[in-house]
């Protein structure tokens, strides 16, 4: 329960810190774009159960796979999609951190 609460909070706080530091003149808009990328978790709707606090999303959900993450990194390289890519990259990094916190060490 604590891990899930901390994980969800980090999905809001980390983009805020990055937005404030990297985009000080437009941090609010940058933060909104990066937090909006949480919509990537809609791919959880194809899983059964939809939410499992003990499941590592990396490598399990379609938009949390390594090929999808390559696309995410590509988005960070294009100025017009950089904020979306950065938000998604932060999201995947936090999900990966959550997997590590769970003690997950499977074959991803």
């Amino acid at each position: 329960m604590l891990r899930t609460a901390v994980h969800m909070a980090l999905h809001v706080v980390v983009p805020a810190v990055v937005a404030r530091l990297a985009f000080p003149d437009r941090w609010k808009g940058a933060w909104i774009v990066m937090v909006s990328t949480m919509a990537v978790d809609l791919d959880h709707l194809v899983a059964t159960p939809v939410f499992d606090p003990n499941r590592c999303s990396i490598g399990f959900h379609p938009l949390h796979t390594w090929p999808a993450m390559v696309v995410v990194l590509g988005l960070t390289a294009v100025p017009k999609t950089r904020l979306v890519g950065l938000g998604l990259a932060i999201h995947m990094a936090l999900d990966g951190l959550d997997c590590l916190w769970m003690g997950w060490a499977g074959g991803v």
Side-chain angles (χ1 to χ4, degrees):
M1 181 79 129
L2 173 65
R3 191 189 87 245
T4 301
V6 169
H7 177 73
M8 297 309 279
L10 288 175
H11 276 295
V12 176
V13 172
V14 172
V17 170
V18 170
R20 197 74 163 119
L21 294 174
F23 308 97
D25 56 328
R26 58 184 181 122
W27 72 269
K28 288 179 186 175
W31 176 73
I32 288 169
V33 171
M34 288 189 279
V35 167
S36 297
T37 64
M38 291 252 311
V40 73
D41 278 343
L42 288 173
D43 67 351
H44 290 232
L45 295 174
V46 299
T48 304
V50 170
F51 176 72
D52 179 353
N54 296 313
R55 177 175 57 218
C56 176
S57 61
I58 301 297
F60 185 85
H61 300 292
L63 297 175
H64 290 68
T65 60
W66 294 108
M69 286 186 251
V70 169
V71 172
V72 164
L73 290 177
L75 292 172
T76 66
V78 179
K80 289 188 184 245
T81 60
R82 184 162 292 140
L83 285 174
V84 171
L86 189 54
L88 289 169
I90 290 168
H91 183 99
M92 296 306 155
L94 291 172
D95 282 4
L97 181 62
D98 190 51
C99 294
L100 291 174
W101 192 354
M102 275 189 271
W104 176 78
V108 173

